[in-house]
C-alpha cells in the first residue's frame, strides 16, 4: 500500500510539474522562479524538477495519510 501510494503521488507531482512547465509564463513568476532559470527548467526532463521524500502515517482507522512532502 505504501509503495502504491508513493508511486501515485510521484505521478501526480510529475503531471503537475509538466503542466507548470507548459504554462511557465504564468506559473514561474507566481512560484518565484527566476527568469534566468526558465529555459533550463523548460528543457529539462520532468523527473528532474523535484527531489523530496514522502512522509506517511497510518491513522487510527488504518488509513494511509500523507503527512509531508
Amino acid at each position: 500500500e505504501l509503495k502504491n501510494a508513493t508511486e501515485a503521488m510521484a505521478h501526480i507531482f510529475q503531471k503537475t510539474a509538466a503542466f507548470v512547465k507548459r504554462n511557465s509564463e504564468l506559473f514561474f513568476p507566481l512560484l518565484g522562479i527566476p527568469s534566468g532559470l526558465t529555459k533550463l527548467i523548460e528543457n529539462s526532463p520532468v523527473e528532474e524538477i523535484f527531489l523530496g521524500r514522502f512522509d506517511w502515517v497510518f491513522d487510527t482507522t488504518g488509513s494511509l495519510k500523507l503527512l509531508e512532502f
Side-chain angles (χ1 to χ4, degrees):
E1 184 178 357
L2 185 58
K3 179 182 178 285
N4 290 338
T6 299
E7 288 174 351
M9 288 302 298
H11 180 71
I12 290 168
F13 274 84
Q14 289 173 341
K15 283 179 61 175
T16 302
F19 180 78
V20 169
K21 281 175 54 173
R22 284 192 309 272
N23 297 282
S24 61
E25 289 180 9
L26 172 64
F27 286 109
F28 283 17
L30 292 172
L31 296 171
I33 297 172
S35 59
L37 295 178
T38 300
K39 290 298 176 196
L40 176 68
I41 294 170
E42 288 176 342
N43 294 324
S44 68
V46 170
E47 295 80 23
E48 295 178 12
I49 295 295
F50 71 91
L51 174 66
R53 181 186 77 228
F54 296 106
D55 292 335
W56 299 96
V57 67
F58 286 98
D59 67 14
T60 57
T61 67
S63 297
L64 190 62
K65 302 290 182 189
L66 179 62
L67 291 178
E68 182 178 32
F69 169 69

